[in-house]
Amino acid sequence: MGLDETASNISKEIDSTRNLLGEMGELVLRLIYQGCRLDDELTRFGSITQECLDVRITVLRELDLVRDDDDGYEITPAGEKYLEIALGWNI
């Protein structure tokens, strides 16, 4: 019973996070995981405006999915876990 509740809670948390991120937020998270670390790389490869990126990065930071680093953005362990669970990635 405890495992079902835990799985249910994780599922609800992933659904909530997915709703907050939207498709563009997930795209930005995937690009950061794949090595895009700077705004110009994210706007170029994601076909996203700087204004939209500013909002998405703020949300990703607040959810602790990405953090700033000396070389740009990097994905956090929570961000990797999100990609594993929500998108089925094997990280």
Side-chain angles (χ1 to χ4, degrees):
M1 186 158 160
L3 291 176
D4 290 336
E5 289 176 2
T6 302
S8 176
N9 288 340
I10 290 172
S11 178
K12 287 178 187 176
E13 186 175 327
I14 291 295
D15 288 344
S16 295
T17 301
R18 186 170 242 170
N19 286 331
L20 288 170
L21 292 181
E23 287 181 34
M24 296 305 285
E26 281 188 354
L27 172 64
V28 172
L29 184 62
R30 290 191 319 258
L31 288 170
I32 292 170
Y33 177 78
Q34 293 170 339
C36 294
R37 301 182 58 84
L38 303 172
D39 286 354
D40 66 322
E41 295 170 337
L42 292 166
T43 56
R44 186 171 7 134
F45 293 114
S47 298
I48 185 172
T49 65
Q50 184 63 48
E51 292 79 14
C52 184
L53 179 62
D54 291 341
V55 171
R56 299 299 174 207
I57 290 293
T58 301
V59 171
L60 289 167
R61 278 188 196 124
E62 289 296 317
L63 294 172
D64 193 36
L65 300 177
V66 299
R67 64 176 160 243
D68 293 318
D69 153 312
D70 292 338
D71 299 324
Y73 306 113
E74 71 176 355
I75 194 163
T76 64
E80 289 180 350
K81 191 69 165 174
Y82 176 83
L83 292 174
E84 287 177 357
I85 295 171
L87 304 180
W89 286 22
N90 187 15
I91 298 176

